[in-house]
């Protein structure tokens, strides 16, 4: 069949809207009509050419929502008409990682996903007879896409596609980092670095978990109002923290008879390795945990004095918020539908596929929290 898609022909060139050829679903695969997709940093990272593993030509996009329109042989958990969210972190429930219960990083189709092909080693996309790569196993910048059954979460049918697509990455990553990775308890003190599309979701995750003090840190003062909207209780602009940001944050979080400061939990949502260090060092001695969510540039390294860890601080990272997609994503959709979490105000821009490049411009300019393309 034919599908309208935004294709990345080569690095650092705008996406082009073309008609692609798409083969139908094979064994264990489904054909999904994508109704909406968010535009996220990793799409930009790959398109810019900064990602050494980026493959071209490719159909990017990993934050979508849509409807199953066809199922290949052997598919048992999905059928035509199901409303779904594609998963760049699949959940096979059968590989050693899924069975371990200790990680969400399913390994069933990991190798082929990274190579931009389906599990059988081939691509369903082509243009003028030339193979086009899949991306993160999702390729949601195409009106129709083929996905492995294990990389699809079935969701309720009354959820609006143009909002819940954000659950395909940003919402789940931010909220999941709080609930699955940090396991924040009621009454906790937390600091969130970077109040963008991820950080704001960390903030609303912290509110959901019942955190008492939620400090937001951002170099952009406009983010103060954004943070407050989702539960932030205090704001710090590092430029106004008097040179020593760690000392400033530790001072703000002093409590107890011993008056030792530091947060129970901190989250890096910037991808800046210096911020990651600050986040670790702003944790409480003995038990503070710092969660790295941001993706750093290629070759970047984190540093700190080992003493920070010897004295009980814990450094962790999280992918897709530690969420098991097929199990957790439908639950997060329900939280949204029940009004427990917000999504609508974070979607600052909506546009047709023809204008998808504007979404990248808005992201560069820091003018959007999230842009969504509606097909
Ligand atoms: P964003 O651009 O919307 O937000 C980043 C925010 O950080 C901005 O508000 C910016 O002003 C602020 N900032 C920049 N430098 C700062 C500094 N030195 N100190 C304090 N604040 C600073 O980006 P986003 O969509 O929120 O994504 C954040 C990061 O999360 C990216 O690196 C992205 O790739 C990553 N991410 C990771 C996962 C995962 O599974 N681990 C999933 C999604 C996104
Ligand atoms: C999503 N991300 C950033 C912004 N939006 C993002 C990027 C990478 C990962 C997660 C989220 C990530 C963390 C760890 C891994 N990835 C490796 C997982 C593994 O090896 O099992 C990651 C993922 C997918 C891909 C590459 C890296 C891919 O499909 N190309 C989950
Ligand atoms: Zn993303």
């Amino acid at each position: 069949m034919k599908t309208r898609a935004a294709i990345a022909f080569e690095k650092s060139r705008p996406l082009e809207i073309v008609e692609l050829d798409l083969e139908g679903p094979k064994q264990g695969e489904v054909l999904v009509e994508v109704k909406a997709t968010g535009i996220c940093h990793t799409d930009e990272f790959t398109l810019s050419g900064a990602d050494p593993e980026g493959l071209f030509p490719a159909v990017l996009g990993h934050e979508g929502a849509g409807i199953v329109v066809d199922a290949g042989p052997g598919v048992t958990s999905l059928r035509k008409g199901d409303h779904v969210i594609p998963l760049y972190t699949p959940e096979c429930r059968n590989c050693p990682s899924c069975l371990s219960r200790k990680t969400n990083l399913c390994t069933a189709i990991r190798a082929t996903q990274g190579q931009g092909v389906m599990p059988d080693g081939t691509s369903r996309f082509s243009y003028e007879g030339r193979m086009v790569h899949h991306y993160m196993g999702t390729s949601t910048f195409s009106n129709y896409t083929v996905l492995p059954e294990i990389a699809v979460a079935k969701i309720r049918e009354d959820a609006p596609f143009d909002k819940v697509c954000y659950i395909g990455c940003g919402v789940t990553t931010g909220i999941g980092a709080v609930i699955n990775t940090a396991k924040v308890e009621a009454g906790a003190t937390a600091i969130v670095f970077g109040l963008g599309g991820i950080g704001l979701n960390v903030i609303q995750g912290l509110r959901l978990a019942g955190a008492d003090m939620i400090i937001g840190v951002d170099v952009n003062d406009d983010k103060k109002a954004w943070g407050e909207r989702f539960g932030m209780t205090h704001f710090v602009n590092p430029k106004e923290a008097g040179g020593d940001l760690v000392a400033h944050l530790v001072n703000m979080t002093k409590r107890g008879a011993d008056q030792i400061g530091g947060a129970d939990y901190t989250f890096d949502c910037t991808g800046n390795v210096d911020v990651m260090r600050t986040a670790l060092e702003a944790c409480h001695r003995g038990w503070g945990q710092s969660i790295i969510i941001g993706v750093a540039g290629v070759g970047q390294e984190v540093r700190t004095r080992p003493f920070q860890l010897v004295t009980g601080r814990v450094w962790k990272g999280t992918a897709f918020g530690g969420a098991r997609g097929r199990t957790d994503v439908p639950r997060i959709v329900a939280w949204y539908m029940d009004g427990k979490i917000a999504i609508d105000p974070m979607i600052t821009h909506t546009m047709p596929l023809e204008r998808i490049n504007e979404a990248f411009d808005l992201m560069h300019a820091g003018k959007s929290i999230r842009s969504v393309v509606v097909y």
Side-chain angles (χ1 to χ4, degrees):
M1 67 177 286
K2 294 278 183 190
T3 179
R4 207 160 49 93
I7 169 163
F9 279 108
E10 55 187 276
K11 68 172 184 186
S12 42
R13 226 171 77 187
L15 300 179
E16 288 179 40
I17 316 302
V18 297
E19 287 262 301
L20 293 182
D21 290 296
L22 178 63
E23 273 188 80
K26 297 192 179 175
Q27 177 79 29
E29 300 173 1
V30 292
L31 175 66
V32 170
E33 180 189 356
V34 180
K35 292 286 195 182
T37 180
I39 289 89
C40 173
H41 272 275
T42 282
D43 304 313
E44 143 65 18
F45 181 60
T46 301
L47 182 59
S48 72
D51 176 3
E53 276 154 24
L55 298 164
F56 298 93
V59 178
L60 304 179
H62 65 280
E63 198 174 72
I67 302 181
V68 174
V69 290
D70 194 12
V75 171
T76 57
S77 64
L78 295 166
R79 62 177 139 194
K80 221 169 136 171
D82 281 349
H83 290 209
V84 295
I85 289 180
L87 302 170
Y88 63 83
T89 303
E91 181 188 355
C92 77
R93 300 175 174 161
N94 229 343
C95 72
S97 290
C98 284
L99 290 172
S100 77
R101 307 299 301 156
K102 294 181 181 181
T103 176
N104 65 328
L105 293 179
C106 174
T107 57
I109 57 170
R110 181 169 171 264
T112 48
Q113 183 173 321
Q115 290 156 6
V117 291
M118 294 298 285
D120 75 346
T122 64
S123 173
R124 302 289 162 270
F125 291 111
S126 60
Y127 182 65
E128 293 176 343
R130 211 174 137 216
M131 179 265 209
V132 174
H133 291 94
H134 294 254
Y135 177 70
M136 291 184 90
T138 51
S139 292
T140 58
F141 293 170
S142 173
N143 197 180
Y144 290 85
T145 191
V146 173
L147 305 163
E149 178 181 17
I150 60 166
V152 175
K154 180 171 155 35
I155 60 163
R156 53 196 268 182
E157 289 177 13
D158 55 347
F161 298 113
D162 61 338
K163 305 296 188 298
V164 297
C165 60
Y166 194 8
I167 296 174
C169 182
V171 173
T172 303
T173 296
I175 293 181
V178 173
I179 289 174
N180 303 316
T181 309
K183 301 189 173 75
V184 173
E185 69 284 355
T189 295
I191 311 174
V192 183
F193 295 81
L195 307 182
I198 302 298
L200 294 176
N201 279 294
V202 171
I203 287 180
Q204 71 168 335
L206 287 164
R207 179 169 64 183
L208 201 66
D212 270 354
M213 191 180 195
I214 305 174
I215 304 173
V217 179
D218 204 297
V219 289
N220 177 353
D221 280 323
D222 297 344
K223 298 299 171 98
K224 179 172 186 283
W226 274 105
E228 283 168 348
R229 226 162 142 174
F230 301 104
M232 181 183 79
T233 60
H234 301 72
F235 178 76
V236 175
N237 186 328
K239 294 170 188 161
E240 286 141 30
D244 191 342
L245 181 56
V246 170
H248 183 80
L249 294 168
V250 167
N251 195 43
M252 277 175 85
T253 48
K254 272 189 184 150
R255 61 205 190 281
D258 53 16
Q259 284 293 293
I260 294 177
D264 299 321
Y265 302 96
T266 67
F267 300 84
D268 167 71
C269 314
T270 69
N272 177 318
V273 294
D274 299 320
V275 173
M276 292 175 191
R277 179 182 190 150
T278 303
L280 178 82
E281 296 179 0
C283 280
H284 199 286
R285 74 195 295 280
W287 66 71
Q289 295 195 21
S290 187
I291 318 297
I292 295 177
I293 307 175
V295 176
V298 177
Q300 297 270 291
E301 295 183 352
V302 283
R303 300 170 67 88
T304 193
R305 296 206 178 103
F307 179 76
Q308 296 287 338
L309 305 179
V310 168
T311 46
R313 293 173 192 82
V314 177
W315 224 342
K316 283 186 177 178
T318 184
F320 193 42
R324 291 179 177 77
R326 288 202 284 162
T327 306
D328 295 342
V329 161
R331 293 171 52 214
I332 297 180
V333 170
W335 293 345
Y336 166 68
M337 296 303 289
D338 295 344
K340 291 194 180 122
I341 59 167
I343 293 183
D344 301 16
M346 296 185 210
I347 298 175
T348 50
H349 301 79
T350 303
M351 59 203 53
L353 184 65
E354 285 65 30
R355 287 171 44 206
I356 192 168
N357 287 302
E358 288 175 33
F360 287 86
D361 298 340
L362 288 161
M363 190 192 290
H364 283 141
K367 287 184 181 157
S368 55
I369 300 296
R370 239 345 167 247
S371 293
V372 166
V373 158
V374 183
Y375 287 93

